[in-house]
Amino acid sequence: MSKYYISQTIVEIVDGRLTGREVVLTRADARVDKDAARLQNVKLFKSKLEAMGIPNLHVNKYDKKRYNKLVREQNKYRKEVKLTVADIAEMTQQAVEADLLTKECEDNV
């Protein structure tokens, strides 16, 4: 049985240059529902996503090498940067300097 998944192409302008990337939206395996990765069900779900207004969707046949490469690439965009106490102090100082915070808050810093 062949497996399928849905991906989305994102085209954007970054620093004046046109860039594009492909993001995997659904899994290519069927862990919960054994028929979840069948072509008929994937096409049905794609039509539901398009009805919700999500553009540039594609149904792809599962190729392990390509699928894993896409997942690794998109994980780079998901990494979150932890805020440190120094970052918060710097942001507070900038807000005080821009008169966004009251004088009372400046006394507490």
Side-chain angles (χ1 to χ4, degrees), residues 5-6 30 34 63 66 80 89 95:
Y5 64 96
I6 298 174
K34 66 183 179 85
D63 173 31
R66 182 174 187 275
E80 57 186 58

Side-chain angles (χ1 to χ4, degrees), residues 35-49:
D35 294 329
R38 282 184 36 216
L39 181 60
Q40 180 182 0
N41 292 334
V42 171
K43 282 184 176 180
L44 179 64
F45 188 59
K46 178 184 175 246
S47 66
K48 289 180 181 180
L49 291 174

Side-chain angles (χ1 to χ4, degrees), residues 5-39:
Y5 64 96
I6 298 174
S7 66
Q8 179 184 24
T9 303
I10 299 173
V11 179
E12 53 197 356
I13 297 177
V14 178
D15 298 328
R17 293 178 51 208
L18 190 65
T19 62
R21 57 189 167 101
E22 189 174 0
V23 179
V24 176
L25 297 181
T26 61
R27 296 178 70 101
D29 61 4
R31 289 189 178 184
V32 179
D33 180 8
K34 66 183 179 85
D35 294 329
R38 282 184 36 216
L39 181 60

Side-chain angles (χ1 to χ4, degrees), residues 46-99:
K46 178 184 175 246
S47 66
K48 289 180 181 180
L49 291 174
E50 287 173 334
M52 290 182 351
I54 301 174
N56 305 328
L57 297 177
H58 315 282
V59 174
N60 303 298
K61 188 170 184 175
Y62 177 71
D63 173 31
K64 183 177 180 178
K65 188 174 181 179
R66 182 174 187 275
Y67 178 81
N68 289 339
K69 180 182 174 186
L70 289 173
V71 170
R72 278 193 310 275
E73 185 67 29
Q74 78 187 46
N75 283 341
K76 294 177 186 176
Y77 290 94
R78 292 180 177 223
K79 293 191 178 176
E80 57 186 58
V81 178
K82 303 284 186 195
L83 266 179
T84 64
V85 175
D87 293 335
I88 295 172
E90 182 182 335
M91 289 187 289
T92 305
Q93 185 62 33
Q94 290 172 354
V96 167
E97 289 171 1
D99 292 332

